Each structure stands twice: as C-alpha cells, then as structure tokens.
Amino acid sequence: MQVPAPFEYERVGSVDQAIGLLERLGDSARLVAGGHSLLPMMKLRLANFEYLIDINDLHDELGSITVEPGRIRIGAMTRHRELLESAELAAALPIFRDAERVIADPVVRNRGTLGGSLCQADPSEDLSAVCTTLDAECVIRGSGGERVVSMADFHRGPYETAVEDAEILTEVRFPVLPGSSSAYEKVERRAGDWAVVSAGAAVRLVDGVIASARVGLAAVGPGTAGIAGVDEAMRGQEPSEELYGRAGDIAAGSCDPVTDRRGSADYKRHLARELTVRVLRTAVARATAAPGKGE
C-alpha cells in the first residue's frame, strides 16, 4: 500500500496563525481540514507537501451560516452536515440541501467543508457548481487584508484557484433576492459516488417573467460550473417547457465530457440537457411558490 511522503504537521488556532505559517513556509505547505481529497492524492503521490497545516480548530471562527437581508454568508469551515441540516439555508437556497443529500456519505459530510470543496477545484465537484450557479463571492484573506473574488474568477482551471500561497479562503457570500429559488440534481452510478453528470439552476421571477437564470454543470469538463448563454436565452421570457428545452440545448452544447467508465460523451451530453430541464423546472416552481415572488 502506498503511503504519503514524509511531512511535518502543525495544528493552528487562528486564521492569522495559519496565514503566518503559510507566509513562512511558502508553497511547500498546504492547509488541511476534512482531508478527504488531499490525503488520497498524497497517498498516490499525486501531490506532495512538506508541511500540512491543520485548520480544524478554526471551525468556531469560520464555521457559521449567517442570514442577512439580501444575502447569506457561509464560513469556509462550515461542514457539509451543517449545510445539509440548516433550515434557514434550505429555505433561502434550497439548492444546497438538494446537493448535500447526494454528496458522498455521512463520514465525509461530517468532516468535509465548503472551503475544502471549493479549493480542491475539481470539475466533478458538486459545491463548485452550486456556488457558481448562485453567483457567489469568495472572501480571501492574507496578511495584507481581505479581497473578494467572484466564483467566476475563483476557479482558474482544474485544481487551481485564485487563493495565493499565503492566503486562506474564509467566507463565501450568496445574494438572496425576492422571487428567487434554486435546485440541483445528480446522476451517479451508486449512492455517494462522483457524479456521472450533475446540474444546478438558480432563477428569479418578477411578475411571472424570468428576470434572471443561471445553470451550472459538474463532471462534464472544465469551465462548465457556469453555462454562458442561458440567462440571455431565458431573461424576459415566461417559463415554459420549450424554454427549458432551449436552455438544455445550450447546456449540452457547452459541455465537453469524456467517454469513461461512467458513460459515453454522448450519454453525458444527453444527461446534461435532461438535468438542466429538470432543475430549471423545479427552481421555477419553487420561485413561484416563494414569498415575494412578484416583487
């Protein structure tokens, strides 16, 4: 059995302490929280770091879900289980509960974090698609202070983010507008597996007309966490099956899946279209039923 290369380990008690260590150690160090992605990669020698900085003690500082007028703020150390169980989050952004129900298993959900998922930047990862679909903003902190980066700019490519060597993702912010709702669906080979294809949608209705619409996909190639062209095609239109189908065509045409053991590229494009139609249908139904739907 392969084991990771030797590394030094240190547990920190504050964000400032973590940033200080990252500044001193440079790119030889990596933060670890749940560790469900990083440690298997280190075992396979796909990633090697001389230092691991354990940030689990930062949960009190970075593990909250805060509902404010017009937005929700979620700390980067918030566990999957906490995202799944938050009634306030589910009421405002139901896409989170949809996604968390199909992420991995209870062991992973008890330890894995929002920040860890986003910073892994895996094109097959569910919460990256969720956060891009919701037009989230990421708060990144370094010794020089905080900066805010849109999800569109946060992921620079597969396994690469806007977080620099001496910085840490501390919070993710989500707009919540009247008449808006969201949904997520995933096709997987077995419960808790990586997606064959998954899709999320976020819509806003004003007087029964679509004011904005966003769709994100996972597991069908890089750059598909947010699908360009969907909002332009749907904005100003009344919801209809024909409109959902048009958006599904755009989503299918925008993805670049590969043929592998989970299915052929054509099958995955078919799923991308079908799931896009489903999540748009569900998100619109939820937005129609939501308080303030006509505002």
Side-chain angles (χ1 to χ4, degrees):
M1 182 178 69
Q2 288 185 306
V3 296
F7 59 86
E8 300 290 329
Y9 168 89
E10 186 157 353
R11 195 173 182 111
V12 297
S14 71
V15 173
D16 288 340
Q17 184 184 2
I19 291 172
L21 278 174
L22 290 171
E23 283 192 315
R24 179 165 62 85
L25 300 173
D27 61 9
S28 64
R30 183 70 176 264
L31 301 177
V32 60
H36 293 100
S37 298
L38 177 63
L39 295 182
M41 291 178 69
M42 292 180 68
K43 278 187 175 182
L44 294 170
R45 303 296 178 101
L46 298 175
N48 290 304
F49 297 96
E50 296 179 37
Y51 302 90
L52 290 186
I53 302 170
D54 189 332
I55 58 173
N56 276 285
D57 288 346
L58 305 189
H59 181 267
D60 288 345
E61 187 175 355
L62 301 180
S64 62
I65 300 172
T66 305
V67 179
E68 300 176 341
R71 73 174 181 178
I72 290 178
R73 296 163 43 224
I74 303 179
M77 282 296 297
T78 305
R79 310 284 184 189
H80 291 298
R81 175 181 54 80
E82 294 167 318
L83 296 171
L84 175 63
E85 295 176 354
S86 171
E88 285 187 307
L89 183 61
L93 302 173
I95 189 174
F96 266 104
R97 182 164 290 179
D98 291 345
E100 289 292 353
R101 283 172 172 160
V102 294
I103 288 178
D105 53 41
V107 173
V108 172
R109 291 196 292 267
N110 284 336
R111 297 294 296 171
T113 64
L114 171 62
S117 293
L118 298 188
C119 289
Q120 181 66 12
D122 190 317
S124 298
E125 196 276 317
D126 295 282
L127 289 190
S128 294
V130 167
C131 293
T132 304
T133 298
L134 292 174
D135 198 22
E137 293 181 329
C138 298
V139 181
I140 300 170
R141 189 190 305 178
S143 60
E146 290 184 345
R147 58 193 180 96
V148 179
V149 177
S150 70
M151 272 301 302
D153 295 325
F154 183 77
H155 286 154
R156 293 179 173 172
Y159 309 102
E160 183 182 5
T161 74
V163 181
E164 302 294 344
D165 289 340
E167 293 183 324
I168 180 171
L169 174 67
T170 59
E171 182 179 271
V172 187
R173 299 170 179 169
F174 303 87
V176 179
L177 300 174
S180 64
S181 197
S182 53
Y184 197 80
E185 286 205 25
K186 176 178 180 178
V187 172
E188 53 196 341
R189 297 173 67 204
R190 59 183 180 270
D193 196 5
W194 288 102
V196 178
V197 179
S198 57
V203 300
R204 185 183 181 216
L205 300 182
V206 175
D207 295 330
V209 171
I210 295 175
S212 63
R214 295 176 64 88
V215 166
L217 301 174
V220 285
T224 58
I227 300 297
V230 169
D231 183 61
E232 182 179 353
M234 300 188 71
R235 195 187 321 121
Q237 306 294 315
E238 292 187 0
S240 68
E241 289 298 315
E242 180 183 356
L243 188 62
Y244 305 153
R246 199 180 312 156
D249 290 338
I250 294 171
S254 299
C255 65
D256 187 23
V258 298
T259 296
D260 58 19
R261 60 190 178 91
R262 292 185 170 87
S264 69
D266 287 343
Y267 172 61
K268 292 178 183 180
R269 287 192 188 92
H270 168 75
L271 286 180
R273 184 189 189 281
E274 178 61 26
L275 292 182
T276 296
V277 170
R278 291 183 190 179
V279 292
L280 282 169
R281 185 188 297 130
T282 300
V284 167
R286 288 171 173 173
T288 301
K293 63 184 179 182
E295 296 180 23

